[in-house]
Amino acid sequence: EIQVAPFLNVTSGRNTGVAFGLATGGDPILLIAVAAAVVAVVLVMIVRAASPLCRAALGMILGGAVGNLMDRFFRAPGPLRGHVVDFLSVGWWPVFNVADSAVVCGAVLLVILTILGFDYDGGRSGWAARRFPADDSTQADDSAQADDSAAADAETGDARA
């Protein structure tokens, strides 16, 4: 174990469970199936998300899930039975890796965005709508086109009621 900072140690460990050592000793095929399902769902969500912040959070979750899934596929004791390598230790917290951190940070960011009112579809509600009003440039473009059309009609004498 190597102390990097007063609160952070680098160590070596193998995790047969999920993030932070939970579900240790679980069926490896089931763990891989759940991780693969998470990856598939997050990929669909990223494609559908219009909010760049939501996409960033989902990207963190996706990156962490894929990282741990690759450990499961390619690490010892063998294909589809591999253990995830955990190497970061912070005080009393269970040993974890960068992929675990990415998943947790992405999930926390999604929760914060939801609480603040940044919607998945790019819209805003609540605090976010009051603090960051939606860009009304499309409405301004529509009214400018209507003004141009009315001016052209007036020049040609083609006024519509």
Side-chain angles (χ1 to χ4, degrees):
E1 190 167 297
I2 301 169
Q3 185 172 14
V4 177
F7 59 89
L8 177 65
N9 295 315
V10 175
T11 186
S12 179
R14 299 224 176 221
N15 180 0
T16 60
V18 295
F20 307 111
L22 301 173
T24 301
D27 180 20
I29 300 299
L30 178 62
L31 294 175
I32 288 171
V34 168
V38 167
V39 167
V41 167
V42 172
L43 277 172
V44 169
M45 291 175 71
I46 286 175
V47 169
R48 292 183 178 174
S51 165
L53 290 172
C54 284
R55 283 186 173 188
L58 291 166
M60 293 167 65
I61 295 169
L62 179 65
V66 168
N68 280 338
L69 195 56
M70 291 300 99
D71 270 0
R72 297 263 176 229
F73 275 116
F74 299 115
R75 295 243 180 228
L80 301 180
R81 295 180 297 128
H83 300 164
V84 174
V85 176
D86 288 339
F87 57 91
L88 298 172
S89 175
V90 179
W92 55 269
W93 197 259
V95 178
F96 60 97
N97 61 30
V98 176
D100 295 340
S101 296
V103 170
V104 169
C105 290
V108 167
L109 179 57
L110 278 179
V111 169
I112 291 170
L113 291 171
T114 300
I115 290 170
L116 292 178
F118 290 95
D119 299 332
Y120 178 75
D121 63 358
R124 297 181 179 117
S125 60
W127 178 86
R130 291 187 303 275
R131 181 77 168 99
F132 305 102
D135 181 20
D136 291 333
S137 63
T138 56
Q139 291 176 350
D141 291 344
D142 291 343
S143 63
Q145 287 177 351
D147 291 343
D148 291 343
S149 177
D153 290 344
E155 288 176 12
T156 62
D158 185 22
R160 297 183 181 136

